[in-house]
Structure formats: structure tokens, C-alpha cells
Amino acid sequence: QVQLQQWGAGLLKPSETLSLTCAVYGASFSDYQWRWIRQSPGKGLEWIGDIHHTGTSSSNPSLQSRVTILFGASKNQFSLRLNSVTATDTAVYFCARVTIFHSMDVWGKGTTVTVSS
Amino acid sequence: EIVLTQSPGTLSLSPGERATLFCRASQSITSNYLAWYQQKLGQAPRLLVYGASSRATGIPDRFSGSGSGTDFTLTISRLEPEDFAVYYCQHYVTFGGGTRVEIK
């Protein structure tokens, strides 16, 4: 059974860097693309960025200058860094697996990140 | 940039009724990459349908997807109590704004 386990700091001050990690269990990391998505309170879903097993990454143009998506410390992990956070970055952040149909079939449980002074 | 518009915003129905949810793309899109998700409060979205009409693993057959070009539909044939939730369509990295299915 494929599982994504995610973790990271949940409370940040403005201007700090958001850092989240997602670990993949039960699936080959190299067979898929991996994604970060966020959901602001009471709002819809927003694509943050992707990383391919080759290391190629892409990100939402609206966040691109602040986003880094990279492999984690272990070979089955990937991470998100979002620098210079503001209150508008307050959201639940999800990691997910992307299929060949570009749908997301496995999701992490989500990490609530609050940015507040 | 493709925009996905979902309608209605809210659907008020009773258990046992049929639900029809719509997703319209601002331009013609590849059906292969149109997906539907269900999200309950406090949970991650769950993939229901991919490729516009293929049910994901473990999804009951009361859920069905259809459509092509710019117009796509998710149908729940008979609403069960656990189906009251928010539903999103998605194409590549774009999401629709969601339809809330609530108990009437």
C-alpha cells in the first residue's frame, strides 16, 4: 500500500522559510512525478510545484521566485521550501503522487502551516 | 492559461437522489488529463475519476465521469450519506473552484 508521510514546521513568522518533507512508502520513487499542493483556509486547491525522479522541477509562476522543490535527505523523500513567507501563505500543504494521466492518486494527510507574527 | 469553472457552486440534495456536477474548461482540453476529486472536511482530496471517465481504484460505480472538449460531468447516481462533500475537477496543474454537495 502506497503511503505519503509528510512533516514540517507548522508555525512561522513573516519572512521565515517554510520547509516541508514528504516520504514515499510502498512505491518506487523513480516511476512517478511528485507534487506539492496547498489549500488556503476555506479556499480551493492551488498547485505549488512538481519534481520528477530525474530531479527536474517546475513550479507555479506566481510562487516561482520563492519556491524550491528538491529531493530529500533519503532517496524516497522530496521537499518543499518556500521562502519569505507572509500571512497569505497560511494554508494546508499536501504532497501527492502524479500518475501518467496527470491525476493525483495518493496524497499525504496534509500539514497546516500558519504564518503569524 | 486554462481556467476550469465548476457549477453549481452548491448542490442541495437528499440521500438517494442523483447529483450532476459540471466542469467547463475555458478552451478545449485533452480528456485523458481531466480528473475529479472528493474532499471531506479536514481530509486530503481523494481521486474519484481520471481520464474523464475512468474510476480510480476502489471507487464505487455510483460515481461516473463523462465529457470531452470543454464540458465534463461527474454524476453520482444515488447519493449515499458519505457522499456529501466538496468535489473538484482538475486538468494538469489547474483546479476548478469546487462544488459543495450538501444535505437538503
Side-chain angles (χ1 to χ4, degrees):
Chain A
Q1 183 183 359
V2 182
Q3 291 186 342
L4 303 184
Q5 183 176 349
Q6 56 180 107
W7 65 89
L11 181 61
L12 297 172
K13 291 181 169 31
S15 81
E16 291 185 334
T17 296
L18 179 157
S19 182
L20 300 175
T21 299
C22 184
V24 179
Y25 298 102
S28 172
F29 192 78
S30 62
D31 289 344
Y32 295 90
Q33 194 157 302
W34 305 90
R35 176 165 291 174
W36 289 100
I37 295 140
R38 71 181 183 180
Q39 187 169 35
S40 301
K43 299 290 180 60
L45 301 162
E46 179 183 24
W47 173 65
I48 300 172
D50 294 352
I51 186 165
H52 191 260
H53 69 87
T54 58
T56 303
S57 64
S58 58
S59 58
N60 190 322
S62 69
L63 302 170
Q64 197 166 31
S65 63
R66 299 192 293 129
V67 167
T68 304
I69 299 176
L70 66 165
F71 293 131
S74 299
K75 64 178 180 179
N76 69 326
Q77 296 177 0
F78 62 105
S79 298
L80 167 69
R81 293 202 183 128
L82 179 67
N83 58 34
S84 304
V85 298
T86 69
T88 59
D89 295 310
T90 293
V92 178
Y93 288 74
F94 298 98
C95 57
R97 184 174 79 171
V98 183
T99 73
I100 59 171
F101 295 95
H102 294 275
S103 56
M104 290 152 285
D105 65 338
V106 183
W107 293 67
K109 290 186 185 301
T111 300
T112 299
V113 176
T114 302
V115 180
S116 173
S117 55
Chain B
E1 178 188 343
I2 291 173
V3 176
L4 299 178
T5 302
Q6 291 189 241
S7 62
T10 302
L11 202 48
S12 298
L13 295 168
S14 301
E17 289 192 295
R18 181 183 188 91
T20 304
L21 288 66
F22 301 98
C23 176
R24 172 164 285 179
S26 57
Q27 59 186 275
S28 185
I29 61 175
T30 308
S31 301
N32 285 352
Y33 303 143
L34 193 285
W36 290 93
Y37 300 83
Q38 176 193 69
Q39 187 179 31
K40 297 180 181 178
L41 194 62
Q43 297 183 16
R46 177 173 71 144
L47 177 65
L48 299 175
V49 169
Y50 65 92
S53 60
S54 297
R55 269 187 301 276
T57 303
I59 301 303
D61 60 8
R62 64 179 182 273
F63 292 92
S64 62
S66 63
S68 64
T70 60
D71 294 306
F72 298 86
T73 302
L74 176 71
T75 302
I76 311 171
S77 59
R78 286 178 55 86
L79 282 164
E80 297 288 341
E82 62 268 28
D83 298 337
F84 292 91
V86 180
Y87 293 82
Y88 294 96
C89 60
Q90 172 241 343
H91 179 259
Y92 279 111
V93 297
T94 300
F95 293 91
T99 291
R100 179 180 303 277
V101 179
E102 64 176 26
I103 299 177
K104 187 173 182 180

